[in-house]
Amino acid sequence: HLLERERGKRSMRFAVKRYLGRSLAANLHRAQRDYSLARLLRQIPDLREYVPRTVRLLVPEKGIRAPGILISDLTENGRYFVVSGGLFTTSLEMPIKKGELDAVVNEIKRIRDIGKNNGVTLLWDAFLLQFTPERKFVKAWIGDFGGVNFDFK
């Protein structure tokens, strides 16, 4: 879902991830966990640039039925399309040109290594992959926080 919000003279778009299918308490817990993970990741200088700039917690209140998180619109108003890293690795039909596959894999491995050096395990499905309409790889974002784990020692 996309949400558009007026701020001053410019319009901003956000993606909304809702947590459904379980009890309200369990869904709220999942939303709070993902929001907290995003905030922690943004505090790690080496990973900050890979986390969407805006991540906000949405709690059930007026007009909001289910908990969720609001994140920056990575399509940048339709300029790009975004694919889940988990879907990318399991899809039979790759959404990109074959020549771009190496760039995607190398970038994800590089970011995962940065995470590992900072005590963070990043699964493939933690990534959202940004592409041009011509299917050229642009950037890998850490945006599905269910695939993020901190290695506290």
Side-chain angles (χ1 to χ4, degrees), residues 97-115:
K97 297 176 181 177
K98 289 185 180 184
E100 295 292 308
L101 181 60
D102 288 340
V104 172
V105 171
N106 290 336
E107 181 67 356
I108 289 177
K109 284 181 179 179
R110 190 180 70 72
I111 297 169
R112 289 179 78 198
D113 286 342
I114 293 170

Side-chain angles (χ1 to χ4, degrees), residues 3 16-19 24-25 27-33 35-36 55-70:
L3 177 69
V16 177
K17 178 179 180 181
R18 295 282 182 205
Y19 296 84
L24 178 60
N27 291 334
L28 184 56
H29 175 76
R30 289 170 53 213
Q32 289 171 328
R33 175 192 181 274
Y35 172 70
S36 296
V55 178
R56 300 282 185 265
L57 179 65
L58 299 174
V59 295
E61 57 182 13
K62 295 183 255 175
I64 299 175
R65 292 186 192 158
I69 57 171
L70 176 120

Side-chain angles (χ1 to χ4, degrees), residues 30-93:
R30 289 170 53 213
Q32 289 171 328
R33 175 192 181 274
D34 285 1
Y35 172 70
S36 296
L37 287 172
R39 288 188 52 153
L40 286 171
L41 288 170
R42 290 219 27 98
Q43 292 176 18
I44 300 171
D46 295 340
L47 290 174
R48 183 176 296 133
E49 69 181 280
Y50 305 105
V51 180
R53 187 171 181 179
T54 300
V55 178
R56 300 282 185 265
L57 179 65
L58 299 174
V59 295
E61 57 182 13
K62 295 183 255 175
I64 299 175
R65 292 186 192 158
I69 57 171
L70 176 120
I71 65 171
S72 302
D73 173 23
L74 300 179
T75 70
E76 295 185 20
N77 209 16
R79 182 174 166 202
Y80 301 112
F81 69 93
V82 177
V83 177
S84 164
L87 290 176
F88 175 79
T89 57
T90 60
S91 175
L92 296 176
E93 290 184 35

Side-chain angles (χ1 to χ4, degrees), residues 122-134:
L122 299 168
L123 304 177
W124 278 85
D125 62 354
F127 293 94
L128 299 175
L129 309 172
Q130 193 177 42
F131 296 93
T132 66
E134 296 78 28

